[in-house]
Amino acid sequence: MGLSSPTQAETSATEVSSEQGASTAGLRRSMEARHLVMIAMGGVIGSGLFVSSGYTIATAGPLGAVIAFLVGALVVYLVMACLGELAVAFPVSGAFHIYAARTIGPATGFATAWLYWLCWAVALGSEFTAAGLLMQRWFPGVDVWIWCFVFATVLFTLNAISSRVFGESEFWFALIKVAAVVGLIILGGAALFGFHPMAAGGYPSLTENFSTDLGLFPNGFTGVFVTCLAVFYAFSGSELIGVAAGETADPAKNIPKAMRTTVIRLLIFFVGAITVIAATIPYEKVSVDESPFVTVFSMLGIPFAADIMNFVIITALLSAGNCGLFSCARMLFSLADEGHAPKAFRKLTKRGIPLVALCVSMLGGLASLISSIVAPATVYLVLVSIAGFATVGVWMSIVASHFMYRRTFVRNGGDPSTLAYRAPLFPLVPIVAFALCVVSLVGIAFDPNQVAALLFGVPFVGACYGFFYFKYGRRRQLALVGTEKDLEAAAKD
């Protein structure tokens, strides 16, 4: 792997499409590597770690949960390696939708973009609702919808000012969450080795809870298998670096740096945190009703632990909503830029913000907010599982796009050694990543709590393909011809 001058990557991006190059130029390249890292960390560290990790431990067992998160970290590395090569070659906003359209086919790009947009738009309402409910702890007399409106207004404002303001706000949002995770790992780890001066009563040792009455895997290895999608959902958001590629200064330098840093930190934070939680709380007592973080801090005897973690989890939810709103707007911008959404979504403010796309994305979030309030709790669980399905679907699109891109690049005479950044061990990396994603989708068919993701997700993807071929089918061959020319130009560059 090597880094060449950013000019090469920017030139390749321009050659993807003259129309896109013109419009993308309006988006400001104002974010640096630290912004990209914190955007990815902010998108990843959320309810999947703070809350849903309890479900993973209860289902897979202590050791099984650690293994599941290690597998998740491996898949994230493989996907990020593929995404890194694509993002440097084509640093455009709403990136992986465009990668799929250019390398696999426009219909796949169309389905990928709408699937990802739907995932985040629906998640927005859930994030606002959960944050509003948590505020009830301190302000029981204030209705939940008021807090939802306040949070929505704040996040919309941060996104509407400029991409740099968004990146800076997300940097500090994510910093609070990272501090909480680091605190859990350090304090909880020290307690497992016997240093717990404030803890009341006994405290488990490092290996005490890993050996259960039913063995290392109390629910069998199947428990690990069926939790893969939940774990992958916990890691969702890492791909946001690709969404922000079009607004990154010096992408050939900053994108690979951000990719490597993000993967290393996710490995340490997620696997470290899940190890501490699994070793501290008996698997049969862990629950999604209370954040495992709150339980661990309470066991440590830290004063006001519940209030501290309540604040941190609210911050985590707002941070994820902040990233989600950013992603939704950029996806709509990209769809409009490709001619697959109303042209109004291409309009940019003087500061380079796709304001119309941002407003529509916020409306989508508010609509799902209403449904999450009035619908039964089962609907919320279905939405969460669908979000996991969408995440895995996007990851599959990314690695498949990378496989097709590199193959076409070489076939057209390109030399991989000249790429500004290239994924290692091609074609093994994209193939293994794709296979693991397929395994996770197969696994949820055996979990009644998650099978709804397949029942809704598969028809939704099919509907996206059907709509595309019905409305844009006549232009499909022209788009594919353009794809070959774009890749050939990139190979000759």
Side-chain angles (χ1 to χ4, degrees), residues 56 84 114-115 118 170 191 204 213 251 258 297-298 312 338 340 365 422 438 471 482 486:
T56 304
W114 280 113
L115 189 65
L118 180 69
E170 188 53 39
D213 294 336
F297 275 85
S298 298
V312 170
E338 292 287 288
H340 296 156
R422 65 182 187 275
V438 171
K471 189 168 184 179
D486 293 336

Side-chain angles (χ1 to χ4, degrees), residues 144-168:
V144 172
W145 73 266
I146 295 178
W147 289 115
C148 294
F149 179 79
V150 170
F151 294 145
T153 302
V154 170
L155 296 191
F156 179 84
T157 302
L158 292 176
N159 274 268
I161 297 175
S162 73
S163 61
R164 185 171 183 85
V165 170
F166 161 79
E168 201 66 42

Side-chain angles (χ1 to χ4, degrees), residues 173-193:
F173 267 145
L175 195 61
I176 295 174
K177 296 192 293 186
V178 169
V181 176
V182 171
L184 177 88
I185 294 174
I186 294 176
L187 297 178
L192 291 171
F193 282 100

